[in-house]
């Protein structure tokens, strides 16, 4: 197996595990959903509750994982995954900003200070999967 194929499969496994974790532990992801998108947080763009956003996010992650497994769909899935990770960056920025706000805690500051920079290697990893 080529290294690029193994890398795409590893990314698919990570996305699949993340999708499952969104269902098993949705509260972990609540801080990453910007309040402006949440109907239960008085968001101006609130179409769904925070919980609904987290649950709904399992679908693109699961579909991306499946798409990365098959060579014929891998390039499109990798491109979509790159865009998805880039879009999720806005949520991580929002979470870090709130962690440093009046309701933030030292723990939330540490967690989000680590989570935000992880988006860079995730975006690069997804983009690199286009070559396999």
């Amino acid at each position: 197996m080529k290294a690029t194929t193994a890398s795409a499969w590893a990314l698919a496994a990570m996305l699949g595990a993340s999708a499952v974790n969104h269902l098993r532990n949705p509260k972990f992801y609540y801080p990453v959903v910007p309040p402006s998108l949440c109907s239960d947080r008085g968001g101006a763009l609130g179409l769904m509750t925070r919980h609904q956003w987290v649950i709904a996010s399992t679908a693109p992650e699961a579909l991306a994982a499946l798409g990365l497994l098959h060579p014929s769909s891998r390039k499109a899935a990798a491109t979509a995954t790159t865009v998805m990770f880039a879009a999720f960056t806005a949520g991580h920025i929002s979470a870090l900003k709130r962690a440093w706000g009046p309701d933030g805690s030292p723990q939330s500051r540490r967690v989000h200070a680590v989570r935000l920079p992880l988006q860079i290697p995730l975006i690069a990893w997804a983009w690199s999967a286009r070559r396999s």
Side-chain angles (χ1 to χ4, degrees), residues 4 17 38 45 49 63 68 89 94:
T4 55
C38 302
L45 305 173
T49 66
L63 290 172
L68 287 166
T89 301
S94 175

Side-chain angles (χ1 to χ4, degrees), residues 26-37:
K27 288 183 181 180
F28 177 76
Y29 300 95
Y30 286 3
V32 183
V33 183
S36 61
L37 297 178

Side-chain angles (χ1 to χ4, degrees), residues 80-115:
T81 302
T82 302
V83 171
M84 178 179 69
F85 285 152
F88 286 173
T89 301
H92 289 285
I93 291 169
S94 175
L96 184 60
K97 182 179 173 183
R98 288 190 316 279
W100 284 94
D103 295 329
S105 67
Q107 179 183 1
S108 67
R109 289 182 194 113
R110 283 190 300 273
V111 167
H112 296 295
V114 170
R115 284 174 87 177

Side-chain angles (χ1 to χ4, degrees), residues 15-79:
L15 285 164
S18 178
V20 169
N21 196 47
H22 276 72
L23 296 172
R24 294 184 70 208
N25 188 16
K27 288 183 181 180
F28 177 76
Y29 300 95
Y30 286 3
V32 183
V33 183
S36 61
L37 297 178
C38 302
S39 60
D40 58 338
R41 305 292 286 186
L45 305 173
L47 301 174
M48 297 188 288
T49 66
R50 185 166 279 180
H51 182 77
Q52 290 167 332
W53 278 112
V54 171
I55 299 305
S57 70
T58 63
E61 287 188 335
L63 290 172
L66 291 172
L68 287 166
L69 293 175
H70 198 275
S72 66
S73 59
R74 188 168 297 140
K75 187 172 183 175
T79 302

